[in-house]
Amino acid sequence: MFKKVLVANRAAIAARVLRALRIMGIPSVAVYSEADARLPYLAEADQSYCIGGAEPVQSYLNQDALLRVLRESGADAVHPGYGFLSENPEFARRVQAAGAVFIGPSPQWIDAMGHKTRARDLMRRHGMPMPPCSELLDGDPAQARRLARQIGYPVMVKPASGGGGIGMMAARDDAELLKAIDQAASMARRSFGDAGLYLEQLLERPRHIEFQVLADRAGNVCHLFERDCSVQRRHQKVIEESPAPLLPRGLVEAAGQQIAGVLGKMGYDVIGTVETLYAQDGGFQFLETNTRLQVEHAVTEEITGIDLVQAQIRLAAGEPLHHVIDRPVAVDGHAIEARIYAEDPVRFFPSPGTLKALEFPSGAGIRIETGFEQGSTVTPYYDPMIAKLIVHAPTRGAAIARLQEALSATCIEGVKHNIPFIQRVLQDPAFRLGNVHTGLAAQVLAA
């Protein structure tokens, strides 16, 4: 096992990884930007280092600064969390070149899955179904129009690199297509340093279903069921739950087994999430593979009792899968996660500021993941998520009720927040019946 682990991230995920390391008895190293110097989880680390200014490129995206801390601290492994450098194959290779272990999939898989069109080609060759999509756009409007018509409108313009819904733009005709391409290319270049785009068939009101996988270095892969992430704003997840409501368990199990089989044949390792779109008339269709721990990993932890962060660390250290998962895994009850953001609850614009009050409820079936406390500042430099509130209960109905009560008991002052929006979704008749889809959030706002 590792002698010391550097946590190359911030806020809720840094706090989560530090907690797992403490439980495992592994010394930890935290890093922080000048803007994050007062965040409370830093006190939980055995060592902490300032790595630069507030802008991500000066700190959490600064590979040289992180590698300097790796050397100076004596850490022999790096946990990247999610976002920032977690899916950067160059950083993973540089960590390995420094003699340490990158706690994630091997760089070859980060590279292979990180470029969406190449990942689709790879998964298609292994039999994964997927919606019609195009080759990379070459900048010629005539090519873009031709490809869009071949696929059939409406289409989605999507960045070939990156994720998180950034740069995804819908187009329903040629005029919208060219505008969408210009906007998506600008956002992709700014966010990911790569303006490459492709087109994908836009499914109307599908469900966004993802499958959690764990794997060892010997090609053994298992899935830990699914998460329904259909409730989104701006193509970014807000509410996630498991099991997915109204989906036959046999259908879900078959899809999970197929995904695990494909990744096993490929030799994929450590951890990942295969994202799909589900339509009743088309089944599960491959979207992408995220080569990291997901924001919503706690949902899976709650229904399986498996600590995914500890499992990720053990698998990266070389332990076999049957040691890490040493018992049959079954779904226990229902879990739902709500992402609480510092943002306007209608327009979803970020609302940075000081948290004059931050109080969460506690009790059976309630879990809070946050990197903040009362008096902390949500800065404009990073994702404005304040916390994740996760509930677990015997049934979906009980979980919804528990989440509603927990959100009502949450007190946040000093910034705008999206709890009113989340409560509107939880009260929506379609959501309560389990009729969720990616357009539900817009439907609720329009009601």
Side-chain angles (χ1 to χ4, degrees), residues 6-11 14 18 29-33 36 41-42 45 47-51 59-60 65-66 69-70:
L6 166 62
V7 182
N9 217 295
R10 66 178 297 276
L18 289 170
V29 182
V31 295
Y32 59 93
S33 70
D36 286 344
Y41 60 86
L42 296 172
Q47 297 171 261
S48 59
Y49 291 78
C50 182
I51 51 171
S59 50
Y60 301 108
L66 290 164
V69 171
L70 180 67

Side-chain angles (χ1 to χ4, degrees), residues 342-371:
E343 64 181 15
D344 181 281
V346 176
R347 296 178 298 169
F348 306 124
F349 294 152
S351 175
T354 299
L355 295 166
K356 297 179 181 177
L358 184 63
E359 299 175 8
F360 296 105
S362 61
I366 298 175
R367 173 175 168 180
I368 305 296
E369 300 284 351
T370 185

Side-chain angles (χ1 to χ4, degrees), residues 128-132 201 203 275-279 282-287:
M128 284 295 297
M130 56 192 65
Q201 182 186 60
L203 298 178
E275 304 210 11
T276 73
L277 290 181
Y278 175 82
F284 295 97
Q285 299 191 46
F286 175 80
L287 271 183

Side-chain angles (χ1 to χ4, degrees), residues 271-332:
I271 197 167
T273 298
V274 174
E275 304 210 11
T276 73
L277 290 181
Y278 175 82
Q280 196 163 4
D281 57 351
F284 295 97
Q285 299 191 46
F286 175 80
L287 271 183
E288 63 185 24
T289 300
N290 293 315
T291 55
R292 55 171 167 80
L293 188 73
Q294 294 281 92
V295 175
E296 59 272 19
H297 69 274
V299 172
T300 297
E301 293 181 328
E302 291 298 317
I303 64 159
T304 63
I306 293 171
D307 187 312
L308 289 176
V309 179
Q310 291 192 46
Q312 178 185 11
I313 293 168
R314 293 173 63 186
L315 291 164
E319 288 193 38
L321 183 62
H322 68 274
H323 283 179
V324 176
I325 308 295
D326 59 358
R327 59 175 172 81
V329 183
V331 174
D332 175 21

Side-chain angles (χ1 to χ4, degrees), residues 156-215:
M156 183 73 78
V157 181
K158 302 182 75 172
S161 299
I166 299 171
M168 292 172 53
M169 306 292 295
R172 299 183 180 277
D173 55 38
D174 286 355
E176 284 190 1
L177 177 67
L178 299 183
K179 293 179 182 177
I181 288 172
D182 286 344
Q183 293 176 28
S186 176
M187 294 177 69
R189 185 182 298 108
R190 185 170 63 250
S191 300
F192 312 124
D194 177 3
L197 304 172
Y198 67 99
L199 306 180
E200 177 183 279
Q201 182 186 60
L202 176 60
L203 298 178
E204 300 286 0
R205 295 159 60 103
R207 295 177 65 174
H208 190 139
I209 309 291
E210 62 186 26
F211 291 83
Q212 177 69 61
V213 298
L214 293 174

